[in-house]
Amino acid sequence: MSWGTELWDQFDSLDKHTQWGIDFLERYAKFVKERIEIEQNYAKQLRNLVKKYCPKRSTKDEEPRFTSCIAFFNILNELNDYAGQREVVAEEMAHRVYGELMRYAHDLKTERKMHLQEGRKAQQYLDMCWKQMDNSKKKFERECREAEKAQQSYERLDNDTNATKADVEKAKQQLNLRTHMADENKNEYAAQLQNFNGEQHKHFYIVIPQIYKQLQEMDERRTIKLSECYRGFADSERKVIPIISKCLEGMILAAKSVDERRDSQMVVDSFKSGFEPPGDFPFEDYSQHIYRTISDGTISASKQESGKVDAKTTVGKAKGKLWLFGKKPKGPALEDFSHLPPEQRRKKLQQRIDELNRELQKESDQKEALNKMKDVYEKNPQMGDPGSLQPKLAETMNNIDRLRMEIHKNEAWLSEVEGKTGGRGDRRHSSDINHLVTQGRESPEGSYTDDANQEVRGPPQQHGHHSEFDDEFEDDDPLPAIGHCKAIYPFDGHNEGTLAMKEGEVLYIIEEDKGDGWTRARRQNGEEGYVPTSYIDVTLEKNSKGS
């Protein structure tokens, strides 16, 4: 099947068809270009999405620790790689498909233009041959008519008796002239006709088939090129499928790595304070003032009453220990992490010790390397000056000493925390036993004694083993007032923890006398301390909400 033999008379149709083929090629190239833009925009949006949700890590404390968070960030990394593969698809399409199509379309236009120009030139030459043949034909026809007229004129004069011999002879010469001219035009017409027929046969059987064959080959190459581009379009996507599959498998593995038990344990490790839950509240006996004697009810008290625990003191100290529902410690972070609960402080100190040990190992390795280099320089002076390494060695030694001091200091803090944490259970067990003792005495600082003769008569001291606990979680709110008192005698208050007062001065009562002869009071300006119970006139208020 050939266009030259089957479509010999369809030059204009082939012109339109080849133009349509080039337009279709350019249309497909435009489609590929828009697909490339879609891939590029898709990849860009995916990268922006990953960037938006990726954590901006500034410190190690902000690094993700929970498995669900780590899995999500792994998914973001896989998605970022997936976006990179979309960019690879766009680049492959741009290079292998779109760029090739645009170059081929340009070459195709140039080739088509050349073939069509050759076809038009062949058609123009055939038209010129036809015009020459047609002109010779018309001239021959005209001369034949003139010859016929000359013959008719000669015959008329030859038959006319009145015509002279000269007229007849002239008509005969004219007839011979016209006949001769007709014969010449006939020969010329025959030659032109033979030439035209030869050119026409050459045109329709040689020239035009050759041109149409070239146009057919050009169009078939265009079709093949489209087929290759279609395949390249699909191959650009298929090449990245294995990598995309790995990205999706990475997302699935990230999802499988989520461990709810581990996350729960991390919550415990992150927020565990190391404190024991508060103990039971003791019985608050508000009827003890009923049994006081008017003369010396506040100084002499029975063993049973002295063994009771002051409710207000217990509540005040317990309030600071209820860390789960109480206030968080205030103040800036300290170097020894003493602002943190014991368990968190222990973990922070252990982390710091590990980091310092790593730094110490680096410095030790550097020191060893410098010493080896120094030995090499001493054995081979041409390689370098050993003295040039001395400043660096001195600096490294200073760093090693500094790091060892830091490690020793932090290990001392760690030992202190571990000692407190280990002994807290024993102290709690001892405290629970003391609550069950029926005969004993309690001082304001929470110490017990079974011997009434060992009762402390000095003012209560506000330091002891509770400070290490209450200093960190002590509530900022002042104790509520449970009554008021009026000073009967002046008191200078030189001892630590006491409160000076003048005769007739009115104070707030915040803790009752627990049998040791001292009452805790507070001035209106907030100053607190202990005063002798026998020096004041106490008035308690029931259901008082404090000042």
Side-chain angles (χ1 to χ4, degrees):
M1 181 183 63
S2 174
W3 287 7
T5 57
E6 304 291 338
L7 303 175
W8 60 272
D9 59 342
Q10 298 296 322
F11 181 83
D12 294 338
S13 298
L14 293 178
D15 184 7
K16 293 180 180 178
H17 173 74
T18 52
Q19 182 60 44
W20 172 85
I22 294 176
D23 292 341
F24 181 79
L25 187 72
E26 291 179 339
R27 180 177 176 83
Y28 178 69
K30 185 178 180 180
F31 160 78
V32 175
K33 181 181 179 181
E34 292 182 359
R35 170 66 189 278
I36 292 171
E37 293 176 352
I38 290 174
E39 290 290 348
Q40 290 174 344
N41 293 332
Y42 180 47
K44 182 179 180 181
Q45 291 177 0
L46 285 178
R47 289 194 182 278
N48 291 336
L49 182 67
V50 171
K51 184 178 179 182
K52 178 180 178 181
Y53 286 94
C54 269
K56 298 178 180 178
R57 302 172 185 173
S58 58
T59 61
K60 292 185 178 180
D61 294 337
E62 298 179 3
E63 291 183 357
R65 296 173 296 168
F66 297 104
T67 58
S68 57
C69 297
I70 295 174
F72 175 63
F73 297 142
N74 290 336
I75 289 174
L76 290 178
N77 292 331
E78 297 294 345
L79 187 61
N80 191 54
D81 295 340
Y82 177 82
Q85 295 307 309
R86 304 319 308 179
E87 292 175 348
V88 171
V89 171
E91 292 175 0
E92 186 71 14
M93 287 183 178
H95 174 72
R96 183 177 177 182
V97 182
Y98 179 72
E100 188 66 24
L101 283 173
M102 296 307 296
R103 287 190 297 270
Y104 189 75
H106 180 266
D107 298 339
L108 207 63
K109 289 179 181 179
T110 304
E111 184 180 357
R112 173 182 174 274
K113 182 179 180 181
M114 180 184 67
H115 294 325
L116 293 179
Q117 285 178 351
E118 291 176 354
R120 291 190 180 95
K121 286 181 180 180
Q123 188 66 38
Q124 290 174 0
Y125 178 73
L126 183 64
D127 292 342
M128 182 187 68
C129 294
W130 181 83
K131 287 181 181 180
Q132 290 177 354
M133 183 272 296
D134 188 58
N135 289 336
S136 62
K137 177 183 176 182
K138 290 178 179 178
K139 188 176 181 181
F140 170 63
E141 183 182 4
R142 187 172 60 249
E143 290 298 332
C144 287
R145 286 196 299 267
E146 291 294 334
E148 288 178 359
K149 289 180 182 179
Q151 185 177 2
Q152 290 175 2
S153 177
Y154 169 73
E155 289 177 353
R156 187 178 68 249
L157 290 175
D158 188 37
N159 294 328
D160 188 4
T161 57
N162 296 326
T164 62
K165 186 178 180 180
D167 292 336
V168 174
E169 190 66 25
K170 184 177 179 181
K172 184 179 179 180
Q173 292 178 354
Q174 187 68 24
L175 175 60
N176 292 333
L177 178 63
R178 290 298 177 182
T179 302
H180 178 71
M181 293 181 66
D183 291 338
E184 289 181 353
N185 287 319
K186 180 181 179 181
N187 294 331
E188 183 180 357
Y189 168 63
Q192 291 293 336
L193 180 61
Q194 184 180 3
N195 180 58
F196 173 73
N197 288 335
E199 292 296 335
Q200 181 175 257
H201 184 275
K202 180 181 178 182
H203 177 79
F204 287 110
Y205 288 93
I206 298 176
V207 178
I208 287 299
Q210 184 66 26
I211 294 174
Y212 284 7
K213 181 182 179 181
Q214 293 173 349
L215 287 174
Q216 181 181 0
E217 291 175 354
M218 180 194 72
D219 192 70
E220 289 176 353
R221 289 198 308 271
R222 175 190 64 82
T223 306
I224 293 174
K225 178 60 68 175
L226 280 173
S227 175
E228 292 175 353
C229 291
Y230 295 159
R231 190 179 299 109
F233 185 84
D235 287 341
S236 300
E237 185 85 21
R238 187 172 59 182
K239 284 181 180 180
V240 301
I241 287 179
I243 303 178
I244 290 177
S245 299
K246 289 182 179 180
C247 294
L248 298 177
E249 290 176 1
M251 294 181 185
I252 294 174
L253 291 176
K256 292 180 178 179
S257 67
V258 176
D259 187 352
E260 68 279 4
R261 295 292 184 182
R262 184 178 176 186
D263 286 357
S264 298
Q265 185 60 39
M266 285 185 180
V267 174
V268 174
D269 295 340
S270 299
F271 303 114
K272 182 179 179 181
S273 66
F275 292 123
E276 296 290 339
D280 297 336
F281 281 88
F283 177 74
E284 302 177 17
D285 190 359
Y286 294 103
S287 62
Q288 62 180 350
H289 64 281
I290 298 176
Y291 302 103
R292 292 177 180 169
T293 59
I294 299 177
S295 60
D296 196 13
T298 59
I299 297 177
S300 60
S302 64
K303 279 189 176 182
Q304 289 77 6
E305 290 178 352
S306 62
K308 296 176 183 178
V309 180
D310 181 57
K312 295 300 178 179
T313 303
T314 307
V315 172
K317 295 186 179 297
K319 188 183 295 184
K321 298 178 184 179
L322 292 175
W323 55 273
L324 183 60
F325 305 101
K327 296 183 179 180
K328 294 182 179 180
K330 298 181 180 180
L334 301 177
E335 182 185 5
D336 59 351
F337 300 113
S338 58
H339 60 287
L340 296 176
E343 185 67 20
Q344 301 302 319
R345 183 186 180 192
R346 184 187 64 79
K347 291 181 180 179
K348 290 290 185 181
L349 289 172
Q350 188 62 52
Q351 291 176 1
R352 182 187 287 174
I353 291 172
D354 294 340
E355 293 176 0
L356 292 173
N357 282 325
R358 285 193 292 269
E359 293 180 9
L360 179 61
Q361 184 62 37
K362 290 180 181 179
E363 295 292 337
S364 299
D365 294 341
Q366 184 175 0
K367 174 189 173 184
E368 184 177 355
L370 289 172
N371 286 328
K372 289 182 179 179
M373 188 180 298
K374 184 178 179 182
D375 294 339
V376 172
Y377 286 174
E378 289 176 350
K379 295 178 181 179
N380 301 299
Q382 65 275 10
M383 297 183 65
D385 182 15
S388 61
L389 301 177
Q390 195 61 35
K392 189 65 178 177
L393 274 171
E395 181 182 356
T396 305
M397 291 297 297
N398 291 333
N399 291 337
I400 291 175
D401 294 339
R402 176 181 58 80
L403 290 173
R404 285 175 177 171
M405 291 178 61
E406 289 290 331
I407 292 173
H408 180 72
K409 180 171 63 175
N410 283 273
E411 286 178 346
W413 289 335
L414 182 61
S415 300
E416 177 187 354
V417 174
E418 291 176 345
K420 292 179 181 179
T421 306
R424 184 170 291 108
D426 298 336
R427 289 197 300 270
R428 173 172 170 78
H429 179 69
S430 175
S431 176
D432 292 340
I433 294 175
N434 288 333
H435 277 299
L436 300 177
V437 176
T438 57
Q439 291 184 354
R441 304 193 59 83
E442 182 191 19
S443 63
E445 66 269 27
S447 61
Y448 291 86
T449 176
D450 293 333
D451 189 0
N453 296 327
Q454 296 179 1
E455 178 179 345
V456 180
R457 286 300 178 180
Q461 300 297 320
Q462 297 182 357
H463 62 278
H465 65 274
H466 287 290
S467 60
E468 63 188 62
F469 178 96
D470 295 333
D471 289 345
E472 295 175 2
F473 291 86
E474 186 173 358
D475 200 327
D476 294 336
D477 298 335
L479 295 175
I482 59 174
H484 63 277
C485 65
K486 184 177 181 181
I488 303 175
Y489 309 105
F491 178 66
D492 53 6
H494 291 312
N495 296 330
E496 183 180 359
T498 60
L499 180 67
M501 62 181 180
K502 299 179 181 180
E503 183 179 354
E505 185 178 0
V506 178
L507 305 173
Y508 291 111
I509 301 297
I510 57 177
E511 284 184 9
E512 288 184 82
D513 181 10
K514 294 176 293 183
D516 55 356
W518 293 92
T519 300
R520 190 173 179 183
R522 179 173 60 226
R523 285 198 179 92
Q524 292 184 358
N525 61 4
E527 186 179 2
E528 298 179 0
Y530 287 90
V531 296
T533 306
S534 58
Y535 282 34
I536 56 175
D537 183 13
V538 178
T539 303
L540 298 177
E541 298 174 2
K542 291 186 178 181
N543 299 326
S544 175
K545 295 183 180 180
S547 58

